[in-house]
Amino acid sequence: MTTEYETHEHDVLIIGAGGAGLRAALGALAQGARVGVVCKSLLGKAHTVMAEGGIAAAMANVDTADDWRTHFRDTMRGGKLLNNWRMAQIHAQEAPERVRELEQWGALFDRTEDGQILQRAFGGHTFRRLCHVGDRTGLEMIRTLQDRGVQLGIDVYMECTISRLLKDGDRVAGAFGYWREQGRFVVFRAKSIVMATGGIGKAWKITSNSWEYTGDGMALAYGAGAELMDMEFVQFHPTGMVWPPGVQGILVTEAVRGEGGVLRNKLGQRFMEKYDPKKLDLSTRDVVARAIYTEVREGRGTEHGGAYLDISQKPADYVKKKLPSMYHQFKELADVDITKGPMEVGPTCHYMMGGIRVDAETAKSSVSGLFAAGEAAAGLHGANRLGGNSLSDLLVFGRRAGMAAAEHANHVSTTALDSGQIEEAAREMLAPFERDAGESPYTVHRDLQETMQNLVGIFRNKEDLIRALEELEKLKERAGRVSVEGSRLFNPGWHLAQDLKAMLTVSEAVTRSALAREESRGAHSRIDHPGLDATWGTKNNVIVREGSAMMLRQSAVPELPGDLKQLVAEEK
Amino acid sequence: MAEAIFEVFRGDREGGQPATYRVPIAPGMVVLDALHHIQAHQAPDLAVRWNCKAGKCGSCSAEVNGRPRLTCKTRMDALPLDKPITVQPMKAFPVIKDLVTDVSWNYRVNKKIPPFEPRPGTDWKIYQEDVDRAQEFRKCIECFLCQDVCHVLREHEEMEQFAGPRFFVRVAALEMHPLDSKSRTRMLKEELGIGLCNITKCCTEVCPEEIHITDNAIIPLKERVVDEFYDPVLMLVRKIRGEK
């Protein structure tokens, strides 16, 4: 069989068109590179569009004492010191300039009285730091970036999924994929590739993530030989919707608490007084998620198994102005008027701190020509991410990844494509059509979500994690036998059969890393190993492929230089 | 358990017809939940676009019982269940498959619109009252329901001459940006065809973001066009100067 496919060529190929991918595209374009961006959905629908609360940047517009040092310290402490300190430093130093740049490209943020960008309070941030547009900051950001990118001449390949990275010896040479619409194959030749594919939430049952978040970038990079890091650190956002069933897991922005919202259990108690008397409702996400989970488990949950989150003490006009999409979301989907009564909320799988291991300055991975930024990359957030640090991450490291990828493309020769790899990728894609009477990919996906939800959730223990690994083995076998109905024309069952492979790879990486880390740190809580362990505090878990086996090893957390060490330790 | 009957369009560019599915009803269920249920249990190849499931991304547009809607925000308990619920793709755009349509034309129109261009030497002081006006238009989630319902596009298929409500909203967002320095008035008249809109307000009615498309975007833009091109005094001045 000779596979038919079209070919496109770019200096830099970016996979993913959320904030990180689009900012990377602009970064690469500024260096004169020919840039292509591939995305699974239509342009402008990536997860960034759903980001609500804001962009963390120490601009000191509201609290004048803020500076990058405080932002750096908050980020390191929030990440329980497992962060790559250099990434945290670059992030804190560069975020304000990246926000100003967005404004210069036309983004319109909410304002202070004296006409500057307004900043709001958020969990774990010492100062009011999140630049925002009501509760639709992500929409403003993605529109600004996409319009600029399209105007400046990036080529966007919408509704296209990459199923495999192509290699030329030890370096990346391109990518193989298919058009979701027509099902035809496509090959991209590129000297550099930036992974900006976001997270992995769709492997869990209760998640704020859309169908796209299946860990493609991490699985593709892993397949190509790159290292993954910190995969045990999966963030459960404390506040997702819990009722009605169809909206379970949909995000309720932390800005509700940032604007004064209060959590209570069914007895009316402000339970955060017990879990974090100092920061209360604005404690870090790991702490608040565990608190709600514990309240529910101990019988103090609400009717539908959550906690109450109440902002109705604020004037109705204020709530509608500052949290318009929350107001509509609850009114239309849950029949709750949040200006009059409380919401019911509970933890939802939201964000992946781990991902592709990258160099702090250049976002390059361990594979030549392969870069990663945003949620797909690891390092900045350590064991737990602070709210607002994701949008700033996308801007700061998206730009750096794009620039470094263009720089790399400038210095290397054209890559050679290997038809053997392409043929193999095509065969693999078509296999589910060849099989008769196999299982539906939907049932395998449902069982994977149950497994990860029940066995690799907020609280973990050795027994569950070992069982999860056994279950994952069975699920891998089942996924290898799924069959799909219909044609290649826009066929969601076929698409899911492909996405399943990536979800299974990242789920295994999460479970293996979680089993290895015998302590509780940030978002990773082991019931059988409560509390921090000093030795584990110096190690990152690193996952790499050896043949067909997933290997896990530990790598030393880069040590902070003296002045920054002192800064982090300072009591404040 | 109570059931709802759905008649969902199945087909492609070549044609198609509705297929019937029975779906159990859960509390608070929306039409998109039902479509997912059909995919998982009856028709795994049913083509549907969706992302956020919370009315923030504008992916899941379709026509439910003949009305353009986001399926993620269309509650089943707001629909009559004594007859089948029909779900059709947006009519104004060519069908690719089932509920998925080819909306690429919108992206081509968008590309024509000149981007934000800040006034030279601005100090970037902007006040909330100035932001408020433009922010309404920036809420647009590009669901294209306004494009779908607009007669000029839906019935008359004037895609070559007319940009549609979505892009008048986009131009309004740019023109009303407090620091923008560019005028897009000539473009509105000559390329985007704003004169073809006869302000029936259908777009405003279907907008899930409740943007006052006609009153706050289209009418003020039409006024700008009138002021610039049809003001009798200015027309006379232009004639004397020999300008067009």
Side-chain angles (χ1 to χ4, degrees), chain A residues 41-43 45 49-50 52 103-111 113-115 133 136 139-140 143 146-147 150-151 158-159 181 210-212 243-246 250 321 325-326 328-329 332-335 442 485-486 489-493, chain B residues 12-13 27-28 30 33 39-40 44-54 56-59 72-73 75 96-97 100 103 107 110-111 113 115-116 118 124-128 131-132 134-135 138-143 170 177-178 210:
Chain A
S41 279
L42 295 171
L43 184 61
K45 310 296 184 191
V49 81
M50 297 159 224
E52 293 162 355
E103 180 164 78
Q104 286 154 16
W105 296 341
L108 271 180
F109 293 95
D110 286 355
R111 316 306 295 188
E113 271 180 19
D114 60 346
V133 186
R136 53 163 197 86
L139 173 65
E140 189 73 16
R143 282 291 178 275
Q146 84 186 69
D147 284 334
V150 167
Q151 288 296 336
M158 297 198 286
E159 299 197 306
E181 282 184 11
S210 86
W211 66 270
E212 293 199 273
W243 184 260
I250 288 176
K321 167 94 184 144
S325 80
M326 287 303 107
H328 286 285
Q329 184 172 313
E332 287 163 31
L333 300 175
D335 302 319
Y442 288 91
E485 293 173 20
L489 187 67
F490 210 113
N491 187 336
Chain B
D12 53 31
R13 273 174 220 269
V30 295
D33 291 325
Q39 278 184 331
D45 62 340
L46 172 66
V48 181
R49 280 197 186 104
W50 69 284
N51 284 77
C52 75
K53 233 187 144 290
K56 293 186 173 65
C57 75
S59 301
C72 76
K73 281 175 81 179
R75 291 271 296 258
I96 291 171
K97 187 184 162 198
V100 172
V103 292
Y107 288 87
N110 192 41
K111 204 171 172 172
I113 299 172
F116 169 68
W124 300 100
K125 288 258 182 205
I126 310 175
Y127 295 93
Q128 188 64 41
V131 169
D132 283 339
Q135 274 181 340
R138 306 178 72 87
K139 289 195 301 185
C140 171
I141 56 174
E142 297 203 317
C143 62
R170 166 135 165 81
H177 189 298
E210 297 175 2

Side-chain angles (χ1 to χ4, degrees), chain A residues 211-224:
Chain A
W211 66 270
E212 293 199 273
Y213 296 82
T214 52
D216 299 14
M218 296 177 204
L220 290 169
Y222 167 80

Side-chain angles (χ1 to χ4, degrees), chain A residues 415-436:
Chain A
T415 54
L417 296 177
D418 166 20
S419 60
Q421 291 177 38
I422 293 170
E423 291 298 329
E424 194 182 304
R427 261 200 310 278
E428 213 175 285
M429 276 309 304
L430 293 175
F433 284 112
E434 321 272 307
R435 291 186 282 260
D436 283 334

Side-chain angles (χ1 to χ4, degrees), chain B residues 9-199:
Chain B
F9 175 82
R10 300 300 310 269
D12 53 31
R13 273 174 220 269
E14 312 290 312
Q17 58 196 6
T20 306
Y21 303 97
R22 289 173 175 276
V23 178
I25 301 173
M29 192 170 183
V30 295
V31 169
L32 183 59
D33 291 325
L35 297 171
H36 283 160
H37 192 277
I38 294 168
Q39 278 184 331
H41 299 279
Q42 300 172 65
D45 62 340
L46 172 66
V48 181
R49 280 197 186 104
W50 69 284
N51 284 77
C52 75
K53 233 187 144 290
K56 293 186 173 65
C57 75
S59 301
C60 63
S61 306
E63 298 186 3
V64 180
N65 287 346
R67 193 179 156 79
R69 317 211 39 158
L70 291 180
T71 58
C72 76
K73 281 175 81 179
T74 307
R75 291 271 296 258
M76 304 267 292
D77 50 18
L79 300 170
L81 294 176
D82 52 349
K83 53 185 180 192
I85 298 167
T86 66
V87 190
Q88 299 271 331
M90 286 192 282
K91 181 175 173 268
F93 305 110
V95 171
I96 291 171
K97 187 184 162 198
D98 306 337
L99 302 178
V100 172
T101 54
D102 180 355
V103 292
S104 57
W105 169 77
N106 293 286
Y107 288 87
R108 289 195 294 277
V109 175
N110 192 41
K111 204 171 172 172
K112 288 198 274 192
I113 299 172
F116 169 68
E117 207 176 285
R119 270 187 240 137
T122 178
D123 61 356
W124 300 100
K125 288 258 182 205
I126 310 175
Y127 295 93
Q128 188 64 41
E129 52 268 33
D130 300 322
V131 169
D132 283 339
R133 198 167 49 142
Q135 274 181 340
E136 176 183 9
F137 310 120
R138 306 178 72 87
K139 289 195 301 185
C140 171
I141 56 174
E142 297 203 317
C143 62
F144 304 131
L145 290 173
C146 58
Q147 307 285 74
D148 182 42
V149 81
C150 175
H151 324 282
V152 186
L153 299 171
R154 188 183 178 92
E155 268 96 42
H156 304 291
E157 300 186 15
E158 299 278 10
M159 269 79 173
E160 292 304 312
Q161 290 85 290
F162 187 66
R166 156 60 190 138
F167 296 105
F168 300 133
V169 167
R170 166 135 165 81
V171 171
L174 290 163
E175 294 279 303
M176 294 179 207
H177 189 298
L179 296 180
D180 182 63
S181 64
K182 210 163 175 70
S183 169
R184 297 162 191 81
T185 319
R186 179 173 290 276
M187 178 176 217
L188 280 168
K189 174 175 170 275
E190 291 173 3
E191 281 182 73
L192 306 181
I194 196 167
L196 290 172
C197 165
N198 53 6
I199 52 175

